[in-house]
Amino acid sequence: MDAGTAVTKRALTRDALLSVVAPMFNEAANAAPFVEEVLAAVDALGLPCAHELVLVDDGSWDGTSETLDAIAQKYPGALRVVHLTRNFGHAAAVSAGLDHARGAAVILMDADRQDDPAAFGPFLQKWQEGCEVVYAQRVLREESPPKRALFWLFYRAFAWMANVRIPLDAGNFALLDRRVVKQLQALPERNRYLPGLRAWVGFKQAGVPVPRRARYDQQARVGFRGLWTLAMNAVFSFSYVPLFVFRIAGLLSLGLSLAVILFALYHKFFTGRAVLAWASQLVTTSFLGGINLLGIGLLGEYIARIYDEVKARPIYIVDRVVEPPKH
Ligand code: UDP
Ligand code: MG
């Protein structure tokens, strides 16, 4: 067997550590039930190894911070709470979580009960069989039909235009091997679309079908604007298709203008019939104006991202880390 296709089977030993990472933004009401559910699920697996839960408080202002610190005291040695200095957004909070996890395997999930801990078992199974990335493939979504339809469309359109192979219906919920976490940490990008970056780093990957549950409080913290930003980050970080479309539109409009010029010349020299100047000009200028503006807008999306990268601000800032030691 050649070295590139060799599969490393892993055994969970006593010295191994499993991390579960979750970002939280204003989830005070759900903090305790969430921690309980996750720790119970891990306990139920009866693993020989130790585990830790890394929770990132992404600048919450509803008491999540204090609640998490209190919960950490209840589970000494099992919880690490990373408080950020303000709300940096879901992707940044996830990066902070990954940077503070120490496990040989790291499970990344949302803290709103949508990601079912029942998937931990199948995740670990695939990891032990040799996969470095095991992602949840959302087979069912307990969400509103318009949101479901938009996600369905987004995953397909994005997979079609992305310059890496992106698995369909796979969000953030996944298990990552330490090697993958290291590679993700080494990527300097500030606009981080994790499912894209995760596909980009490669390694052996597998999907596990997991139904996505309903949010415990029906109040999305990311919101439509956040999802739109995420979608734009995905597209402009992993695809040049928008530029290609713009180029095709440019070529088409050039062809159209040539046809109009030839049409006018033909009438001038061969039939002598005048072409109505104002009508043709109005159509062509507004058409070209529209295409130009669209093109500038699209270029702007790429340039804004270059600007973000050049500024090289940190992805997040940590205020404090709370980690009660085991006695
Ligand atoms: N979240 C976060 N920072 C934010 C927004 C959300 O850490 O600025 C967390 C949130 O607490 C939850 C997860 O990210 O644990 C996913 O958020 P949400 O459920 O709103 O996203 P959706 O499921 O709608 O994509
Ligand atoms: Mg959610």
Side-chain angles (χ1 to χ4, degrees):
M1 189 187 271
D2 94 45
T5 58
V7 172
T8 343
K9 297 239 183 200
R10 300 181 191 87
L12 267 179
T13 59
R14 276 169 56 97
D15 320 319
L17 176 66
L18 170 70
S19 304
V20 178
V21 170
M24 284 194 161
F25 175 51
N26 291 346
E27 309 277 15
N30 188 43
F34 171 74
V35 169
E36 235 167 74
E37 185 184 39
V38 169
L39 292 180
V42 175
D43 281 344
L45 292 171
L47 303 172
C49 66
H51 57 265
E52 60 170 13
L53 182 50
V54 181
L55 298 173
V56 180
D57 164 31
D58 186 17
S60 306
W61 56 72
D62 70 337
T64 302
S65 313
E66 298 74 18
T67 311
L68 286 181
D69 288 350
I71 295 173
Q73 303 299 331
K74 264 181 66 187
Y75 302 97
L79 241 75
R80 182 169 312 130
V81 185
V82 182
H83 295 274
L84 303 187
T85 53
R86 66 169 173 87
N87 178 238
F88 282 87
H90 178 256
V94 165
S95 290
L98 285 181
D99 292 346
H100 287 82
R102 298 177 192 150
V106 179
I107 293 176
L108 203 58
M109 69 190 299
D110 285 349
D112 59 357
R113 314 296 279 283
Q114 288 203 269
D115 296 332
D116 194 341
F120 291 180
F123 277 4
L124 282 164
Q125 174 76 33
K126 286 268 178 212
W127 179 64
Q128 283 175 283
E129 285 169 13
C131 292
E132 275 92 5
V133 173
V134 191
Y135 51 82
Q137 222 148 8
R138 294 153 176 188
V139 280
L140 275 173
R141 267 179 179 271
E142 289 184 40
E143 266 160 337
S144 67
K147 198 168 177 182
R148 245 175 14 217
L150 279 178
F151 270 106
W152 187 91
L153 195 70
F154 166 73
Y155 279 126
R156 272 136 199 94
F158 177 56
W160 175 77
M161 64 172 84
N163 49 22
V164 274
R165 213 183 71 77
I166 307 271
L168 294 179
D169 304 311
N172 277 332
F173 191 22
L175 178 149
L176 309 173
D177 183 76
R178 171 62 32 201
R179 292 174 71 197
V180 174
V181 175
K182 257 195 190 151
Q183 292 303 327
L184 289 174
Q185 286 174 310
L187 296 177
E189 294 176 55
R190 261 134 272 276
N191 290 300
R192 297 174 86 83
Y193 177 65
L194 192 83
L197 296 175
R198 192 179 64 205
W200 187 88
V201 297
F203 295 98
K204 193 168 163 26
Q205 309 212 356
V208 169
V210 180
R212 189 151 164 85
R213 303 187 297 189
R215 206 176 205 291
Y216 72 99
D217 66 353
Q218 312 298 330
Q219 295 243 315
R221 302 299 190 270
V222 171
F224 182 75
R225 202 171 142 183
L227 288 179
W228 175 256
T229 309
L230 192 71
M232 290 300 103
N233 270 341
V235 169
F236 291 102
S237 304
F238 288 94
S239 176
Y240 297 116
V241 167
L243 290 180
F244 177 73
V245 171
F246 176 43
R247 214 172 297 147
I248 297 292
L251 276 178
L252 284 178
S253 74
L254 205 66
L256 201 72
S257 317
L258 264 178
V260 171
I261 290 170
L262 288 177
F263 178 77
L265 286 177
Y266 171 78
H267 282 298
K268 182 168 173 59
F269 291 116
F270 296 103
T271 68
R273 275 173 29 210
V275 177
L276 270 184
W278 68 266
S280 54
Q281 272 194 6
L282 194 71
V283 170
T284 41
T285 46
S286 59
F287 180 70
L288 289 179
I291 288 196
N292 273 320
L293 285 180
L294 185 73
I296 293 169
L298 285 177
L299 276 179
E301 288 285 348
Y302 288 99
I303 292 171
R305 282 168 174 75
I306 299 172
Y307 187 44
D308 270 350
E309 301 303 331
V310 172
K311 280 189 290 191
R313 290 181 186 155
I315 297 169
Y316 60 87
I317 299 174
V318 175
D319 180 25
R320 62 202 168 87
V321 179
V322 174
E323 187 177 7
K326 213 173 191 149
H327 300 299

